Amino acid sequence: MISQPYQLYVERSDPARNMARYYAMEIEQTMFGEACLTRRWGRIGKRGQEKQHVFEREEEAVRLFLELLKQKRARGYRPQTLRYLRR
């Protein structure tokens, strides 16, 4: 069981470079009790891409979640209000 909700939505925009990107992550429990980190990314307003990582323990999923957050912040992504995440 996931101890607390993990959700993130960040954006990176630069009108001069016609850049408008988003990156979203969340950790949920699978029906088998594993932790699943789902990542979604792409151009704002478009469906984009999705990737899922399944872990036996929640701690492993949280470790990857925090590492990816660190990478995205270093690239200029900043938090925005949480939006509906397409599935």
Side-chain angles (χ1 to χ4, degrees):
M1 181 171 193
I2 303 299
S3 62
Q4 67 180 29
Y6 291 91
Q7 294 181 329
L8 175 75
Y9 179 87
V10 290
E11 291 183 354
R12 181 177 177 199
S13 297
D14 183 351
R17 295 173 49 194
N18 192 26
M19 180 191 307
R21 298 179 182 156
Y22 71 90
Y23 195 86
M25 294 188 290
E26 63 184 329
I27 298 175
E28 297 178 315
Q29 185 173 338
T30 68
M31 65 179 168
F32 301 110
E34 301 164 313
C36 179
L37 170 63
T38 302
R39 305 189 291 159
R40 294 178 186 87
W41 68 92
R43 186 164 178 84
I44 295 173
K46 302 291 181 184
R47 183 177 175 105
Q49 299 181 47
E50 179 178 312
K51 184 169 187 172
Q52 294 182 332
H53 304 269
V54 178
F55 300 92
E56 289 185 20
R57 298 183 3 199
E58 178 182 352
E59 295 81 17
E60 298 170 278
V62 172
R63 190 174 306 120
L64 179 57
F65 184 97
L66 295 174
E67 179 61 32
L68 292 168
L69 171 59
K70 182 179 174 183
Q71 290 174 12
K72 295 304 168 187
R73 288 195 49 88
R75 294 191 58 115
Y77 285 82
R78 296 294 175 248
Q80 302 295 321
T81 56
L82 184 62
R83 297 179 184 184
Y84 174 74
L85 302 176
R86 291 186 181 136
R87 294 187 187 255

